[in-house]
Structure formats: structure tokens, C-alpha cells
Amino acid sequence: MKAKNGKIKIKWRIFSSMAFFTAIIICLLWLFQVVFLDDIYRLIKNHGIKKSTETVAESFNENIDMTDFISKIATKEDVCIMVITENGGALYNCHSVRDCVIHKLANNKDNLVKIFKMTQNNGGSYFESFKIDTSFSVNYGTPYNPFSDPQQEITNEENLQSNMVSSRVIYTNDGTPLCIISNSTVAPLTSTVETLNIQLLFITLIMLILASVLALIISRSISKPISKMNEAAKELSKGNYNVIFSSDGDYEISQLGETLNYTASELSKVEQYRKDLLANISHDMRTPLTMITGYGEVMRDIPGENNSENIQIIIDEANRLSTLVNDALDMSKLQSGESTMELSVYSLTESVNTVVERYRKMVAHNGYSISFDYYDDIKIKADEIKISQVIYNLLTNSINYTGDNKKVIVRQLINNDDNIVRIEFEDFGEGIAKDQFHNIWDRYYKIDKTHKRGTVGTGLGLTIVRNILELHNARYGLRSTVGKGSVFWFEFPIER
């Protein structure tokens, strides 16, 4: 029943829970149908006889046929009802219970008068439950009062009959006192209890068998797909991303299977991206390292080669390495949440213009043309250093993937109605298909996996852009047409 780690398996936990629930239901059945049956029955009879007395008392002075009304109440509640005067005379009398005590008492008016006085002395209402011996023959000429002591001596327990008597004094409209007396017998439940015992014994056995079978079926139906998922998850943890999680079972289990299948698919993509990253970094780092080492050796070994041109090549290749390392470090900080923001109000226009001017000088000798179209100086509230990273990465991306015309246009657009400034970076390269729009922001992802000398990057640039902009709650996106280039953009509220 227990797994290797000592914990109970889910199917046995479900089975034991259902078995425990079934045991509770059976115990409750035994308690209410057998153990407390007599008490519940007496409680119901007690309530019925008191209710009968109160109902007759409340309706007595109403303009109704009391004979018919009392008869209906007596039949409904299975009681005998008498309404007597102060001297023991009976105004109304309804006899619906066999061996009724009050009708035996009625054989002698002194008994009824005594009950009348007992009720008055008790505050106007009286109730008593007692047992009498039904084998005792009543001498109709002799007062017969089960309330008085001593009562008849009980000779046989089997002849005992439980009785309940309820009485209440009322007054007519003219002030005449009357007493309502109700009597009901409590039938012995011995045979009923024995019958219920036999029935419950069979019911208990049947319920135990059915509950055990049902618990096993339910526990297996729930635990089986979960067990399959657990085995598949173990394979996934070993790096087998082609594993398939079963979607059988109930809705929640089916949804879990689909979610795990999607997770495995995404992990497979991440693994492929990771391999691409290693390939990209190893390729991109090998080239500048080779160049730095080669030119360093040339400057050391060959006289006259220690010139500014060779030194500049070493500096450029070192900067290329720095870019690769910085991208990886920036991405690591953003993903781990260690990167914090220092917000300030500054000129976004001036920041973009500064980056564009620096790039324009760096790439001018390679024939690239970069322009910045703007009209107003716009300020925003953001982390200036991080937004500069965004501008650098988006501009680098446009330069790397622009077309043969080597032209990049940066625009500043203002929406005065919404108080929004948008910065756009347009290239004229091959463009991006719409089905790749979502992937383009993923880490390690590159549209063109062919390594080019003029294209440097780890595939982290756009992911860094996305994380920084989301950190600022800024909107961003792209427009692209295959064969006509792409436009990347981001927006910020304007600080007036």
C-alpha cells in the first residue's frame, strides 16, 4: 500500500477514504434505526400528544364544529381526546386508541375531577408518561387512577403498556373552566427492532461489498492515469522531451496531461535553443579570439606590424567579445530578478539621438545609413540606462538584418490624444513571417541561423528588450512583411 518513500499511494488513500465514509453511514443507520429508534419514537409521540392538546385549546372558542374538529385531530395524531367540566362531566369525547387510559378513568367522575384539579394546581397544564399492566381488569365501580400511588402491582413485564397523558385547563367565552385531556399509547418496538436488525445486517453486508468494489474502481480510474503521468514525468526529467503524457481520464487529469505535453514541447524548444546558443557563442567567440591572438602574435613577431591599424582590429574584436558576454550577463540578471530599476525623468529624444550618432560613426565606413526622424524633444519617466540598452539592441538588430541598401530609419511618433510617444526602428531586410512573431522575442531564437561575419549576437538581444520593457509595463511589438523589412517599436507615456 505504501510507496518506497513511505507515503500511501493515491489509490489506497481513495479506497480507505471511501471505506471510512461507508462505515460512518452504516454506523449512523444502526444508531438511528436501532439504538435510538425507541427514543425517537417516544419523542415523536410526545410532540404529537402535546400538539393535539394545544391545537384543541387554541381553537376551542372559535365558531366551528368542535365534535368534528376534535375527531379529525385525534385521528391524525392517533390520540384519545376528552373535554371535561370541573365536576367531571364530558363535553366532548373522541376514542381512537385501544386501551385508552382516560376512558377507563371516565368510568368514575372522581378520577376526572382529580385530573382537573391536578392540572389546575400545576399551572394550567400537565403531562406525564407512565406504564400500566394491560392484564389488569378495571372494576368500573372503583376509582382507577394510574397517577396515584401505589399503582397496581406489575405482575408481568410483557403486559406493560407505555402511556402518555397531556392535559390543559381552558376557559370558555363566559369564563367557565374546562379541561382538555389527551392520551396516547406507545406501542412496544421489540418486533420492529428485530426486523430492522435483520434488514440492516443484510444492508450492511451489501453496502460493504458494493462500497469496496466501487472504491477499487474509482481509485484505479483516478490513480491509473496519474501513475502513467508520473512515469512519463520521470522520462522527461531524464531529458527525453519526446515523451507523450496521456490525456485519458477525467477533465482535470486530461487538462493536466495536455499541459504537461505542452511543457515537454516547450522544454524541447528551449533545449534546442540552448544548443543553438552554444553553437552561436562558440562560433562568435572563436572568431574574435582567433583574430586577437593572431594579430597579437603578428605584432610581437614581425617588425613594423605594431601599428594603429592592427591595434584597432584587436580593440574591435575585444568589443565584439564584450558584447557577447554583456548580453549573457544582462539576460541572467533580468531572468533572476536581480536587476533593479532607477526611475527618473529624462529626454528620450536625446537618448535615442545619442545612440544613433554613435552607431552612425561606427558603421559609416561599412556603407550603412542611419537616420533619426523627430520633431519635439520628449521626456519620459524610466530607467535611462536600461532603456538605452533597449535602443542599442533594437538598433543593432535593425543593422544586422537590414537589406542590401544598408539603410535603417529610426522614428519618434507622438500621439497627443493618448499622451504616448512611440519609437520605431525600421529595416529593409527579408522581413519576418507572421507565424514567427511570437518566437522572435524568445531567448536564443534567431530567424537566420547562418553565421555571418557582419552579424554578431547571441540571440538574446530581443529577449533583453522584452524583459526590460515588461519591467517598465511598456507596450512593444513589431510589424513585418516578408521581403519588405520589419519595424520594431515600443511606447511610453509622455512626461509633460
Side-chain angles (χ1 to χ4, degrees):
M1 291 181 63
K2 291 188 177 181
K4 293 181 179 180
N5 58 4
K7 293 186 178 180
I8 298 176
K9 293 183 178 180
I10 186 171
K11 65 178 180 180
W12 294 117
R13 186 176 295 277
I14 295 173
F15 177 82
S16 59
S17 298
M18 290 197 65
F20 180 70
F21 175 76
T22 303
I24 291 177
I25 296 298
I26 293 174
C27 288
L28 289 175
L29 283 173
W30 277 92
L31 285 174
F32 285 99
Q33 294 296 320
V34 177
V35 178
F36 298 126
L37 180 62
D38 188 64
D39 293 333
I40 295 173
Y41 175 61
R42 288 179 179 277
L43 184 65
I44 294 173
K45 296 293 287 185
N46 188 328
H47 175 74
I49 191 172
K50 289 182 178 179
K51 181 181 177 183
S52 301
T53 307
E54 293 297 325
T55 303
V56 174
E58 291 172 359
S59 305
F60 193 83
N61 288 316
E62 296 180 3
N63 188 19
I64 59 175
D65 184 356
M66 288 306 299
T67 302
D68 182 63
F69 180 75
I70 291 174
S71 177
K72 289 180 179 179
I73 294 297
T75 303
K76 180 181 178 181
E77 299 294 340
D78 192 25
V79 296
C80 289
I81 302 176
M82 290 183 66
V83 180
I84 62 173
T85 61
E86 196 169 12
N87 60 5
L91 288 180
Y92 300 100
N93 189 348
C94 182
H95 179 49
S96 62
V97 178
R98 185 181 177 184
D99 295 326
C100 173
V101 171
I102 59 175
H103 285 88
K104 290 182 179 180
L105 295 176
N107 294 325
N108 190 312
K109 288 186 177 181
D110 291 340
N111 292 327
L112 299 179
V113 171
K114 186 174 182 180
I115 295 176
F116 197 117
K117 292 181 178 179
M118 286 172 59
T119 306
Q120 280 185 322
N121 295 335
N122 199 52
S125 63
Y126 184 80
F127 176 83
E128 185 168 347
S129 177
F130 54 89
K131 293 181 179 181
I132 63 172
D133 189 345
T134 56
S135 63
F136 179 77
S137 297
V138 178
N139 185 344
Y140 294 114
T142 304
Y144 176 82
N145 189 354
F147 309 112
S148 62
D149 289 322
Q151 294 185 22
Q152 291 77 18
E153 183 179 354
I154 297 173
T155 59
N156 191 344
E157 290 287 341
E158 294 180 357
N159 295 325
L160 288 180
Q161 176 180 280
S162 295
N163 280 263
M164 294 179 181
V165 172
S166 173
S167 61
R168 179 175 172 179
V169 174
I170 61 172
Y171 295 89
T172 61
N173 292 331
D174 59 2
T176 302
L178 300 174
C179 183
I180 302 170
I181 308 172
S182 302
N183 169 234
S184 179
T185 61
V186 181
L189 300 178
T190 305
S191 59
T192 304
V193 171
E194 289 178 357
T195 303
L196 288 175
N197 281 336
I198 296 173
Q199 289 181 341
L200 284 177
L201 182 61
F202 284 105
I203 291 173
T204 300
L205 293 175
I206 294 171
M207 285 188 66
L208 286 174
I209 294 172
L210 290 178
S212 300
V213 173
L214 185 62
L216 281 174
I217 294 173
I218 293 176
S219 62
R220 286 183 179 179
S221 66
I222 294 175
S223 64
K224 188 174 181 180
I226 295 177
S227 298
K228 288 182 178 179
M229 288 184 185
N230 184 46
E231 295 301 321
K234 291 179 181 178
E235 291 296 316
L236 181 63
S237 66
K238 296 176 182 178
N240 180 11
Y241 301 112
N242 296 320
V243 66
I244 302 297
F245 290 89
S246 173
S247 296
D248 298 334
D250 296 328
Y251 176 78
E252 291 80 3
I253 296 176
S254 175
Q255 290 292 302
L256 177 60
E258 292 178 5
T259 301
L260 290 173
N261 281 327
Y262 176 77
T263 302
S265 175
E266 292 300 306
L267 287 174
S268 178
K269 291 180 182 179
V270 170
E271 177 64 15
Q272 186 59 45
Y273 293 158
R274 184 187 65 82
K275 292 178 180 178
D276 291 343
L277 174 66
L278 292 176
N280 293 345
I281 291 180
S282 61
H283 181 279
D284 290 335
M285 293 185 71
R286 186 184 298 114
T287 302
L289 284 172
T290 301
M291 296 287 287
I292 291 171
T293 303
Y295 275 88
E297 291 176 350
V298 167
M299 293 170 63
R300 181 194 64 188
D301 299 335
I302 301 176
E305 290 296 326
N306 191 3
N307 53 50
S308 59
E309 182 179 351
N310 290 341
I311 293 174
Q312 185 60 49
I313 291 174
I314 292 175
I315 292 173
D316 291 341
E317 297 303 323
N319 289 334
R320 193 183 298 272
L321 279 174
S322 178
T323 299
L324 295 172
V325 174
N326 287 336
D327 276 357
L329 290 175
D330 290 340
M331 189 63 212
S332 177
K333 288 181 179 180
L334 289 168
Q335 291 292 322
S336 64
E338 296 179 0
S339 182
T340 57
M341 290 197 301
E342 296 182 5
L343 300 179
S344 63
V345 177
Y346 72 98
S347 173
L348 176 63
T349 308
E350 182 180 341
S351 179
V352 175
N353 193 48
T354 300
V355 175
V356 169
E357 287 299 321
R358 289 177 182 174
Y359 258 97
R360 186 181 289 134
K361 293 178 181 179
M362 287 173 57
V363 299
H365 64 281
N366 290 326
Y368 286 92
S369 171
I370 306 175
S371 62
F372 179 34
D373 298 339
Y374 68 96
Y375 298 98
D376 296 324
D377 184 32
I378 299 300
K379 290 182 171 59
I380 64 169
K381 185 175 183 179
D383 188 315
E384 184 174 1
I385 295 177
K386 285 185 170 54
I387 299 303
S388 295
Q389 281 183 280
V390 171
I391 299 169
Y392 269 109
N393 281 318
L394 290 178
L395 191 52
T396 300
N397 183 75
S398 297
I399 292 172
N400 285 340
Y401 293 99
T402 193
D404 295 334
N405 61 3
K406 297 185 177 182
K407 183 179 180 180
V408 174
I409 300 176
V410 183
R411 299 186 187 90
Q412 176 180 282
L413 306 176
I414 300 173
N415 185 338
N416 288 313
D417 293 336
D418 296 330
N419 199 42
I420 295 294
V421 59
R422 172 182 286 200
I423 304 297
E424 295 185 347
F425 299 82
E426 182 178 8
D427 64 64
F428 299 89
E430 298 178 0
I432 304 169
K434 287 186 177 181
D435 59 354
Q436 294 177 322
F437 277 16
H438 178 72
N439 293 330
I440 200 68
W441 303 100
D442 291 342
R443 55 182 175 178
Y444 317 142
Y445 189 84
K446 279 188 175 183
I447 295 295
D448 182 8
K449 294 180 172 59
T450 303
H451 294 283
K452 302 176 183 178
R453 182 76 187 108
T455 302
V456 181
T458 59
L460 297 174
L462 292 180
T463 307
I464 293 172
V465 168
R466 180 191 67 186
N467 288 338
I468 291 177
L469 292 177
E470 288 180 353
L471 201 62
H472 285 79
N473 293 320
R475 295 181 68 243
Y476 63 93
L478 73 103
R479 305 189 307 271
S480 185
T481 303
V482 176
K484 295 185 179 180
S486 305
V487 177
F488 288 82
W489 57 268
F490 66 87
E491 293 178 344
F492 270 90
I494 299 173
E495 290 288 328
R496 298 295 184 182

